[in-house]
Amino acid sequence: MSKRDQQAVHDLVQAGLKERWGDEYNPTYNKDLDDIYGYYVELLKCSVAVLEHPEQGPIGCGVLIPLPAKDEFGTWQAAPNLTRSKRSADEATVDYAMNEDLDPDVKKCRMVRVSVDSAHRGQGHAKSIVKYLMDAARSRGFHKVIVETTTPWISAVKLYESLGYAVVDANEENVHFEYVLE
C-alpha cells in the first residue's frame, strides 16, 4: 500500500461498513481508518493488500496484523490512543508482536479490514486478497491466522470456510475462525 491509496482504501472500507451496519454505523468509531498508512504500515508494520482495478484504482483491500495475546478471540479494534506522535513504532510493534501469554513457538496474526467494492463482488477478489495475506503470514513466520466476521455476513463466513478456516468460537453476532499455516 502506498500513501496515494490511502483515501481510496479509506472510502472503500467505510462504504463496506456503512453497507453492513446501515444507520447503526458510526464512521468516527474506526480511528484506524483516519491514517491507514501511518497506523498499519508505518506504526504497526502490517502487511496490507490493495487490489487495484486498472481504471478505477483500489477495489479491494485487507490487513494482516500481529495478534496481541490478550485478544485472541475477542473483537479486535484499533486502539484509539495509539498514535504515531505518542508511541514509537518499536514500542507498538513489540506490543502487537509479542504473544507472551501464548506458546512462544506459535505466532498468531489477525486478518482485518478485508473489503471489496460492491460493484466488484462475486468475482473472486476477496478470495485473492485473503490468499495473498495468508502467503504474507507464512513469509513473516506466523503459524496461525485468526479472522472474525459477523454471523449474518454469510458471504464472508462462506469465504473463510471455503479456504479451510475452522470455526473456533461463534455466537449470534460473531464467528471467529482460525487457520493453521503449514
Side-chain angles (χ1 to χ4, degrees):
M1 176 178 174
S2 68
K3 284 187 178 183
R4 71 175 172 79
D5 295 329
Q6 182 164 271
Q7 188 61 49
V9 171
H10 169 275
D11 295 347
L12 173 71
V13 174
Q14 290 280 22
L17 291 169
K18 174 68 174 157
E19 179 184 343
R20 173 66 187 99
W21 297 107
D23 293 337
E24 295 177 33
Y25 179 62
N26 180 351
T28 63
Y29 179 73
N30 298 284
K31 295 294 184 189
D32 59 311
L33 298 177
D34 292 345
D35 183 7
I36 297 167
Y37 187 85
Y39 184 74
Y40 286 116
V41 177
E42 291 180 340
L43 181 63
L44 298 180
K45 310 295 187 215
C46 295
S47 297
V48 179
V50 178
L51 181 62
E52 296 212 21
H53 185 279
E55 298 165 3
Q56 299 174 347
I59 60 166
C61 62
V63 177
L64 188 70
I65 187 170
L67 181 68
K70 64 182 180 229
D71 190 34
E72 183 173 347
F73 298 116
T75 301
W76 183 88
Q77 61 182 340
N81 296 326
L82 187 61
T83 64
R84 286 181 292 156
S85 61
K86 293 183 181 179
R87 310 231 2 231
S88 74
D90 289 339
E91 290 172 322
T93 301
V94 168
D95 287 348
Y96 279 83
M98 294 300 290
N99 286 309
E100 296 172 15
D101 298 335
L102 301 175
D103 181 341
D105 295 327
V106 178
K107 289 176 58 182
K108 294 184 180 185
C109 59
R110 182 178 290 274
M111 198 176 305
V112 299
R113 301 300 188 204
V114 176
S115 188
V116 175
D117 179 79
S118 61
H120 297 276
R121 292 188 193 141
Q123 301 172 33
H125 297 312
K127 188 175 277 191
S128 294
I129 291 166
V130 170
K131 285 181 175 182
Y132 175 87
L133 291 172
M134 290 168 66
D135 288 342
R138 277 186 198 90
S139 71
R140 292 185 66 179
F142 290 105
H143 302 104
K144 292 183 181 182
V145 180
I146 306 295
V147 177
E148 173 199 3
T149 191
T150 57
T151 303
W153 213 330
I154 296 169
S155 61
V157 171
K158 287 182 179 180
L159 167 68
Y160 296 116
E161 289 175 340
S162 76
L163 290 169
Y165 281 75
V167 175
V168 292
D169 189 34
N171 58 42
E172 292 179 11
E173 295 180 21
N174 300 303
V175 180
H176 300 267
F177 292 95
E178 180 177 85
Y179 187 90
V180 178
L181 297 165
E182 296 178 21

